[in-house]
Short mmCIF file of all heavy atoms in Angstrom, two decimals:
data_model
loop_
_atom_site.label_atom_id
_atom_site.label_comp_id
_atom_site.label_asym_id
_atom_site.label_seq_id
_atom_site.Cartn_x
_atom_site.Cartn_y
_atom_site.Cartn_z
N ASP I 21 32.72 4.57 -35.68
CA ASP I 21 31.70 3.81 -34.98
C ASP I 21 30.36 4.00 -35.64
O ASP I 21 29.96 5.11 -35.98
CB ASP I 21 31.62 4.26 -33.51
CG ASP I 21 32.87 3.90 -32.77
OD1 ASP I 21 33.48 2.88 -33.16
OD2 ASP I 21 33.23 4.59 -31.80
N PRO I 22 29.63 2.96 -35.75
CA PRO I 22 28.30 3.07 -36.32
C PRO I 22 27.32 3.63 -35.31
O PRO I 22 27.54 3.57 -34.13
CB PRO I 22 27.93 1.63 -36.68
CG PRO I 22 28.67 0.82 -35.65
CD PRO I 22 29.96 1.55 -35.41
N GLY I 23 26.19 4.10 -35.82
CA GLY I 23 25.13 4.56 -34.91
C GLY I 23 24.44 3.38 -34.29
O GLY I 23 24.55 2.26 -34.71
N ARG I 24 23.71 3.63 -33.17
CA ARG I 24 23.03 2.56 -32.49
C ARG I 24 21.80 2.10 -33.27
O ARG I 24 21.16 2.85 -33.97
CB ARG I 24 22.54 3.02 -31.10
CG ARG I 24 23.67 3.14 -30.09
CD ARG I 24 23.07 3.19 -28.72
NE ARG I 24 24.10 3.24 -27.70
CZ ARG I 24 24.52 4.34 -27.12
NH1 ARG I 24 24.00 5.47 -27.45
NH2 ARG I 24 25.45 4.29 -26.18
N GLY I 25 21.46 0.82 -33.06
CA GLY I 25 20.24 0.30 -33.65
C GLY I 25 19.05 0.61 -32.74
O GLY I 25 19.18 1.27 -31.74
N ALA I 26 17.91 0.08 -33.08
CA ALA I 26 16.70 0.35 -32.30
C ALA I 26 16.71 -0.34 -30.99
O ALA I 26 17.30 -1.38 -30.80
CB ALA I 26 15.49 -0.11 -33.11
N ASP I 27 16.08 0.27 -30.02
CA ASP I 27 15.92 -0.35 -28.73
C ASP I 27 14.59 -1.08 -28.68
O ASP I 27 13.71 -0.87 -29.45
CB ASP I 27 15.87 0.73 -27.62
CG ASP I 27 17.14 1.55 -27.62
OD1 ASP I 27 18.17 1.01 -28.04
OD2 ASP I 27 17.06 2.71 -27.21
N ASP I 28 14.41 -1.94 -27.69
CA ASP I 28 13.08 -2.37 -27.29
C ASP I 28 13.07 -2.41 -25.78
O ASP I 28 14.00 -1.96 -25.13
CB ASP I 28 12.68 -3.71 -27.92
CG ASP I 28 13.53 -4.88 -27.45
OD1 ASP I 28 14.31 -4.65 -26.48
OD2 ASP I 28 13.42 -5.95 -28.02
N ALA I 29 12.03 -2.93 -25.18
CA ALA I 29 11.92 -2.90 -23.73
C ALA I 29 12.94 -3.75 -23.03
O ALA I 29 13.10 -3.63 -21.82
CB ALA I 29 10.51 -3.36 -23.31
N TYR I 30 13.64 -4.56 -23.72
CA TYR I 30 14.58 -5.46 -23.07
C TYR I 30 16.00 -5.32 -23.58
O TYR I 30 16.84 -6.14 -23.37
CB TYR I 30 14.10 -6.91 -23.25
CG TYR I 30 12.72 -7.01 -22.79
CD1 TYR I 30 11.63 -6.95 -23.67
CD2 TYR I 30 12.45 -7.06 -21.40
CE1 TYR I 30 10.34 -6.99 -23.20
CE2 TYR I 30 11.17 -7.10 -20.95
CZ TYR I 30 10.11 -7.05 -21.83
OH TYR I 30 8.85 -7.08 -21.37
N ARG I 31 16.29 -4.24 -24.36
CA ARG I 31 17.66 -3.95 -24.78
C ARG I 31 18.07 -2.64 -24.15
O ARG I 31 17.25 -1.86 -23.76
CB ARG I 31 17.74 -3.82 -26.33
CG ARG I 31 17.59 -5.17 -26.99
CD ARG I 31 17.61 -4.98 -28.46
NE ARG I 31 16.61 -4.01 -28.87
CZ ARG I 31 16.31 -3.79 -30.12
NH1 ARG I 31 16.94 -4.43 -31.08
NH2 ARG I 31 15.42 -2.92 -30.46
N ARG I 32 19.33 -2.44 -24.10
CA ARG I 32 19.79 -1.20 -23.51
C ARG I 32 19.26 -0.03 -24.31
O ARG I 32 19.45 0.06 -25.51
CB ARG I 32 21.32 -1.16 -23.49
CG ARG I 32 21.86 -0.01 -22.66
CD ARG I 32 23.35 -0.07 -22.54
NE ARG I 32 23.97 0.27 -23.84
CZ ARG I 32 25.25 0.14 -24.05
NH1 ARG I 32 26.03 -0.38 -23.15
NH2 ARG I 32 25.78 0.47 -25.22
N PRO I 33 18.52 0.86 -23.65
CA PRO I 33 17.89 1.98 -24.36
C PRO I 33 18.90 3.03 -24.78
O PRO I 33 20.03 3.03 -24.35
CB PRO I 33 16.91 2.52 -23.32
CG PRO I 33 17.57 2.21 -22.03
CD PRO I 33 18.25 0.87 -22.23
N GLY I 34 18.37 3.90 -25.60
CA GLY I 34 19.18 5.07 -25.96
C GLY I 34 19.46 5.15 -27.43
O GLY I 34 20.06 6.10 -27.92
N GLY I 35 19.10 4.16 -28.22
CA GLY I 35 19.40 4.21 -29.66
C GLY I 35 18.28 4.83 -30.44
O GLY I 35 17.37 5.39 -29.93
N ASP I 36 18.42 4.68 -31.75
CA ASP I 36 17.41 5.20 -32.67
C ASP I 36 16.14 4.42 -32.47
O ASP I 36 16.10 3.20 -32.48
CB ASP I 36 17.94 4.98 -34.11
CG ASP I 36 16.99 5.62 -35.12
OD1 ASP I 36 15.88 6.04 -34.71
OD2 ASP I 36 17.36 5.70 -36.30
N ALA I 37 15.06 5.10 -32.20
CA ALA I 37 13.80 4.44 -31.96
C ALA I 37 13.21 3.83 -33.19
O ALA I 37 12.24 3.10 -33.14
CB ALA I 37 12.82 5.43 -31.35
N HIS I 38 13.77 4.10 -34.37
CA HIS I 38 13.13 3.61 -35.59
C HIS I 38 13.99 2.65 -36.37
O HIS I 38 13.49 1.82 -37.12
CB HIS I 38 12.75 4.79 -36.48
CG HIS I 38 11.82 5.72 -35.81
ND1 HIS I 38 10.52 5.42 -35.56
CD2 HIS I 38 12.03 6.99 -35.30
CE1 HIS I 38 9.92 6.44 -34.94
NE2 HIS I 38 10.83 7.39 -34.80
N GLY I 39 15.28 2.72 -36.31
CA GLY I 39 16.12 1.89 -37.17
C GLY I 39 16.76 0.78 -36.40
O GLY I 39 17.40 0.99 -35.40
N ASN I 40 16.56 -0.49 -36.81
CA ASN I 40 17.24 -1.56 -36.12
C ASN I 40 18.16 -2.33 -37.02
O ASN I 40 18.93 -3.16 -36.58
CB ASN I 40 16.20 -2.53 -35.48
CG ASN I 40 15.20 -3.06 -36.47
OD1 ASN I 40 15.57 -3.33 -37.62
ND2 ASN I 40 13.94 -3.17 -36.08
N GLY I 41 18.12 -2.13 -38.31
CA GLY I 41 19.13 -2.66 -39.21
C GLY I 41 19.02 -4.08 -39.58
O GLY I 41 19.93 -4.65 -40.15
N TRP I 42 17.86 -4.76 -39.30
CA TRP I 42 17.83 -6.15 -39.73
C TRP I 42 16.68 -6.43 -40.68
O TRP I 42 16.16 -7.54 -40.77
CB TRP I 42 17.79 -7.12 -38.55
CG TRP I 42 16.85 -6.86 -37.45
CD1 TRP I 42 17.06 -6.09 -36.37
CD2 TRP I 42 15.56 -7.43 -37.27
NE1 TRP I 42 16.00 -6.12 -35.55
CE2 TRP I 42 15.07 -6.94 -36.06
CE3 TRP I 42 14.77 -8.29 -38.02
CZ2 TRP I 42 13.83 -7.30 -35.58
CZ3 TRP I 42 13.54 -8.67 -37.56
CH2 TRP I 42 13.06 -8.15 -36.34
N SER I 43 16.28 -5.41 -41.40
CA SER I 43 15.31 -5.62 -42.45
C SER I 43 15.57 -4.54 -43.52
O SER I 43 15.70 -3.37 -43.20
CB SER I 43 13.88 -5.49 -41.90
OG SER I 43 12.95 -5.61 -42.91
N ALA I 44 15.69 -4.96 -44.77
CA ALA I 44 16.00 -3.98 -45.81
C ALA I 44 15.15 -4.23 -47.05
O ALA I 44 14.79 -5.35 -47.36
CB ALA I 44 17.47 -4.06 -46.17
N SER I 45 14.79 -3.16 -47.73
CA SER I 45 14.02 -3.31 -48.97
C SER I 45 14.97 -3.61 -50.13
O SER I 45 16.17 -3.49 -50.05
CB SER I 45 13.25 -2.01 -49.22
OG SER I 45 14.18 -0.96 -49.34
N GLU I 46 14.36 -4.06 -51.23
CA GLU I 46 15.14 -4.43 -52.40
C GLU I 46 16.00 -3.29 -52.88
O GLU I 46 15.60 -2.17 -52.99
CB GLU I 46 14.16 -4.85 -53.51
CG GLU I 46 14.83 -5.36 -54.77
CD GLU I 46 13.79 -5.83 -55.77
OE1 GLU I 46 13.02 -6.73 -55.43
OE2 GLU I 46 13.75 -5.27 -56.83
N GLY I 47 17.26 -3.63 -53.18
CA GLY I 47 18.18 -2.63 -53.72
C GLY I 47 18.85 -1.81 -52.65
O GLY I 47 19.52 -0.86 -52.96
N SER I 48 18.66 -2.16 -51.39
CA SER I 48 19.28 -1.36 -50.33
C SER I 48 20.50 -2.07 -49.80
O SER I 48 20.82 -3.19 -50.18
CB SER I 48 18.26 -1.13 -49.21
OG SER I 48 17.98 -2.37 -48.62
N ALA I 49 21.14 -1.43 -48.83
CA ALA I 49 22.33 -2.03 -48.23
C ALA I 49 21.95 -3.22 -47.39
O ALA I 49 20.83 -3.32 -46.90
CB ALA I 49 23.06 -1.02 -47.37
N SER I 50 22.89 -4.16 -47.29
CA SER I 50 22.61 -5.36 -46.51
C SER I 50 22.68 -5.05 -45.03
O SER I 50 22.96 -3.97 -44.61
CB SER I 50 23.65 -6.42 -46.86
OG SER I 50 24.89 -6.07 -46.32
N ALA I 51 22.44 -6.13 -44.26
CA ALA I 51 22.36 -5.92 -42.82
C ALA I 51 23.67 -5.66 -42.17
O ALA I 51 23.73 -5.29 -41.01
CB ALA I 51 21.74 -7.16 -42.16
N GLY I 52 24.75 -5.85 -42.85
CA GLY I 52 26.05 -5.55 -42.24
C GLY I 52 26.32 -4.08 -42.19
O GLY I 52 25.56 -3.26 -42.67
N ARG I 53 27.42 -3.71 -41.63
CA ARG I 53 27.77 -2.29 -41.58
C ARG I 53 28.56 -1.89 -42.81
O ARG I 53 29.52 -2.53 -43.20
CB ARG I 53 28.60 -1.99 -40.34
CG ARG I 53 27.84 -2.23 -39.04
CD ARG I 53 28.69 -1.87 -37.88
NE ARG I 53 27.93 -2.07 -36.65
CZ ARG I 53 28.44 -1.95 -35.45
NH1 ARG I 53 29.69 -1.58 -35.30
NH2 ARG I 53 27.71 -2.15 -34.38
N ALA I 54 28.19 -0.84 -43.47
CA ALA I 54 28.91 -0.34 -44.64
C ALA I 54 29.84 0.75 -44.19
O ALA I 54 29.43 1.80 -43.77
CB ALA I 54 27.96 0.19 -45.68
N SER I 55 31.11 0.48 -44.30
CA SER I 55 32.10 1.48 -43.88
C SER I 55 32.39 2.38 -45.05
O SER I 55 33.04 2.02 -46.01
CB SER I 55 33.38 0.80 -43.42
OG SER I 55 33.09 -0.01 -42.30
N VAL I 56 31.89 3.58 -45.02
CA VAL I 56 32.06 4.55 -46.11
C VAL I 56 32.88 5.70 -45.58
O VAL I 56 32.46 6.40 -44.70
CB VAL I 56 30.70 5.03 -46.63
CG1 VAL I 56 30.91 5.97 -47.79
CG2 VAL I 56 29.86 3.85 -47.03
N SER I 57 34.07 5.87 -46.14
CA SER I 57 34.96 6.93 -45.68
C SER I 57 35.07 8.03 -46.72
O SER I 57 34.80 7.84 -47.89
CB SER I 57 36.35 6.36 -45.40
OG SER I 57 36.26 5.29 -44.48
N PRO I 58 35.49 9.17 -46.30
CA PRO I 58 35.68 10.29 -47.26
C PRO I 58 36.76 9.93 -48.28
O PRO I 58 37.69 9.18 -48.01
CB PRO I 58 36.13 11.43 -46.37
CG PRO I 58 35.72 11.06 -44.98
CD PRO I 58 35.75 9.58 -44.92
#
Side-chain angles (χ1 to χ4, degrees):
D21 293 330
R24 286 196 177 98
D27 301 333
D28 65 10
Y30 306 98
R31 289 178 305 189
R32 190 175 71 188
D36 185 351
H38 301 289
N40 54 39
W42 48 272
S43 178
S45 59
E46 184 176 300
S48 66
S50 71
R53 296 182 178 175
S55 298
V56 183
S57 304

